[in-house]
Amino acid sequence: MKTAGANSIIILGGRAEYLRNGDIYYGYRQDSDFYYLSGFNEPDGVLVLCPGYEAGEHILFCRQADPKKIIWDGPMLGTEGVVRSLGFDVAYNIKEIDQRMPKLMAGREKILFKIGEDDVFDQRISHWMKSIEPNKWHKSPVPNELMSISHAIHDMRLYKSSDEIKCLKKSANLAAKAHVRMMQACRPGMYEYELQAEYIYQLTANQSCPSYPPIIGSGNNGCILHYINNDGLIQDGDLVLIDAGAEVDFYASDVTRTFPANGQFSVRQRDLYEVVLQAQLDAIDQVKLGKHWNDPHTAAVKTLSQGLLDLKLLKGSLDEVLEDKLYAQFYMHMTGHWLGLDVHDCGDYKVDDLWVELEEHMVLTIEPGLYIGEHANVPDGWKGMGIRIEDDVQVTKNGPVVLSDKAPKTIKEIEECMLGC
Ligand code: GLY
Ligand code: MN
Ligand code: MN
């Protein structure tokens, strides 16, 4: 409200329910911006912030608690519940929104909403504006300025409060437990989806769910960046790349570990793994106040390139490899993204064409990798190896804090973890 100004109104629509097939709906997940400002996790909510409004500045339109619906779907907060439990000043039945919203808008100069993100909601805003009744007390009855609220919310979400950090830590700890469980369950001859079952068990038994569809790729499947079929047979001698996070209290973790299916790295696997691990440590070392968004990526690319040269998987000088991006045939993605309520969280990466500076309370992933697919132009013994190591890292004034540090990461930690099962 401070950002918007006194004579404004902020309107934010929540997520609807979506049909999956037949009469069956997808599991409900509130929109992250809406949840961030409301804490409300039911469909059909509309949040209104009205600075100075006499009945209360924090208003929620929501479904009225309906005894008949409660018989089928269980408890709902309803208008009384959201005032009692979520701290809204006032709540109205969502069915009254067309009649009440023009009155809330009347006399305000500025409307802030997520312009252009939902055509139907845009039309409703326009309809409410047209329905404002002239009133001699309103200087300018119809607001004359429309502004997007998205950027202001996303800028707030970029800096995590201590409560948010606690949720992210819980989420990272749970993901780490799930990774340990999968490492310990893994045996050559299993299917990738059997490891997925171990992961889902660990999350479900802790009231959590995946923060994105997990990637469980053995052998060459580990080189497919967005592999989600997870239906391959895990063979003796394969590496298994698992990118799997948890969602805890709406906050995401995003963790990748790579380990040998049979519990012991081969010499080539070890050599390549050490390169990726060193690149990840060098990148994490850049997660410091005053560094810029791209510094971890630059550090990772340099270490990966030198490693590829040392292993004779690339030829030339380090400068050539960097200049001509020769590393890109084995490392084709960036080194991370913001993390929070969304796994690819909101927040600017560049401002005025400059990479943003890392500041306290930001959280990001660091996830370098090397992918030597079956068609790579290298000796056969290297083919079919995909390695990524991904951690969730908090920027603090004392340096990087790795939130996902409970997941085994060094070769020794991984081999000991797999042996100890
Ligand atoms: N799991 C998605 C990512 O690493 O970006
Ligand atoms: Mn990631
Ligand atoms: Mn990931």
Side-chain angles (χ1 to χ4, degrees):
M1 282 194 278
K2 216 190 281 172
T3 309
N7 211 6
S8 59
I9 178 168
I10 298 168
I11 305 169
L12 199 66
R15 176 111 348 134
E17 286 178 295
Y18 293 105
L19 270 179
R20 180 180 185 272
N21 64 319
D23 292 335
I24 305 304
Y25 286 87
Y26 283 103
Y28 184 72
R29 166 57 157 84
Q30 184 59 276
D31 172 80
S32 294
D33 285 340
F34 191 88
Y35 186 76
Y36 183 73
L37 292 187
S38 69
F40 185 59
N41 188 33
E42 291 177 23
D44 289 346
V46 175
L47 169 85
V48 184
L49 299 179
C50 244
Y53 186 65
E54 57 276 14
E57 298 181 321
H58 310 95
I59 303 163
L60 189 72
F61 286 89
C62 64
R63 290 177 180 177
Q64 189 85 286
D66 171 358
K68 281 201 206 111
K69 199 164 165 46
I70 289 171
I71 290 174
W72 289 88
D73 296 335
M76 55 197 290
L77 283 175
T79 47
E80 282 165 27
V82 299
V83 171
R84 195 175 54 241
S85 346
L86 301 180
F88 282 93
D89 296 321
V90 51
Y92 299 120
N93 187 341
I94 188 71
K95 289 187 177 153
E96 298 170 7
I97 197 165
D98 288 336
Q99 163 222 330
R100 289 189 180 272
M101 191 66 90
K103 295 191 174 78
L104 290 169
M105 284 177 163
R108 305 252 156 196
E109 281 167 12
K110 219 193 288 182
I111 304 181
L112 292 97
F113 66 106
K114 291 183 159 193
I115 298 177
E117 290 184 28
D118 175 345
D119 289 347
V120 174
F121 203 76
D122 288 356
Q123 280 169 19
R124 294 183 76 190
I125 295 270
S126 158
H127 170 75
W128 293 327
M129 284 175 69
K130 283 184 198 146
S131 311
I132 296 173
E133 281 177 19
N135 175 322
K136 64 181 175 173
W137 303 112
H138 299 139
K139 281 204 302 285
S140 158
V142 178
N144 54 22
E145 205 179 327
L146 303 181
M147 262 182 72
S148 174
I149 189 68
S150 303
H151 190 265
I153 300 175
H154 294 170
D155 206 42
M156 290 167 71
R157 282 179 52 191
L158 184 54
Y159 302 89
K160 274 67 182 177
S161 68
S162 56
D163 279 344
E164 290 183 289
I165 297 286
K166 277 186 203 145
C167 293
L168 287 164
K169 180 69 190 165
K170 267 166 79 180
S171 178
N173 280 347
L174 183 55
K177 272 195 181 162
H179 278 269
V180 167
R181 189 182 184 97
M182 289 186 280
M183 284 179 194
Q184 298 196 328
C186 186
R187 298 283 181 277
M190 287 174 81
Y191 283 90
E192 292 157 355
Y193 51 75
E194 293 180 80
L195 294 184
Q196 182 167 337
E198 299 289 336
Y199 157 72
I200 295 295
Y201 176 84
Q202 187 71 40
L203 266 49
T204 310
N206 287 279
Q207 287 190 296
S208 168
C209 64
S211 43
Y212 52 89
I215 295 169
I216 304 182
S218 57
N220 195 63
N221 294 337
C223 302
I224 303 170
L225 296 178
H226 286 167
Y227 179 74
I228 50 167
N229 286 355
N230 304 345
D231 58 359
L233 180 65
I234 301 171
Q235 319 248 20
D236 199 2
D238 278 352
L239 283 177
V240 185
L241 181 157
I242 300 188
D243 185 342
E247 186 173 289
V248 174
D249 296 338
F250 284 81
Y251 284 80
S253 48
D254 184 7
V255 179
T256 307
R257 288 293 183 264
T258 308
F259 57 88
N262 61 18
Q264 281 228 301
F265 285 85
S266 71
V267 173
R268 278 208 176 90
Q269 289 170 349
R270 184 176 290 263
D271 287 347
L272 205 63
Y273 191 89
E274 291 291 11
V275 172
V276 179
L277 180 58
Q278 191 56 52
Q280 205 233 13
L281 298 176
D282 291 346
I284 290 174
D285 200 43
Q286 297 292 310
V287 180
K288 289 181 178 154
L289 299 190
K291 295 284 183 185
H292 291 84
W293 170 261
N294 208 36
D295 290 331
H297 181 65
T298 306
V301 162
K302 192 168 167 203
T303 305
L304 292 173
S305 298
Q306 186 59 57
L308 289 165
L309 285 168
D310 295 344
L311 295 174
K312 308 211 176 329
L313 291 165
L314 286 177
K315 291 198 192 89
S317 68
L318 180 59
D319 284 345
E320 278 164 1
V321 171
L322 294 173
E323 183 86 0
D324 301 339
K325 292 194 166 45
L326 299 180
Y327 60 81
Q329 55 193 298
F330 304 117
Y331 183 47
M332 53 298 272
H333 58 76
M334 293 295 283
T335 299
H337 47 81
W338 302 126
L339 184 73
L341 285 166
D342 294 318
V343 66
H344 288 185
D345 210 33
C346 52
D348 289 328
Y349 290 95
K350 276 188 169 183
V351 175
D352 296 334
D353 224 25
L354 294 174
W355 295 110
V356 300
E357 198 171 310
L358 298 180
E359 293 178 63
E360 244 189 311
H361 311 304
M362 293 174 168
V363 177
L364 61 153
T365 68
I366 295 289
E367 50 179 303
L370 286 174
Y371 311 93
I372 308 189
E374 56 196 353
H375 303 299
N377 184 20
V378 296
D380 281 352
W382 290 103
K383 292 181 185 174
M385 274 197 257
I387 298 175
R388 178 164 64 255
I389 308 173
E390 176 173 24
D391 277 310
D392 304 342
V393 186
Q394 178 192 355
V395 188
T396 79
K397 57 179 185 302
N398 300 319
V401 171
V402 178
L403 299 174
S404 45
D405 61 348
K406 299 272 191 303
K409 186 159 78 167
T410 64
I411 287 181
K412 186 164 177 281
E413 284 166 355
I414 291 172
E415 290 188 345
E416 280 178 7
C417 167
M418 295 182 75
L419 197 63
C421 55

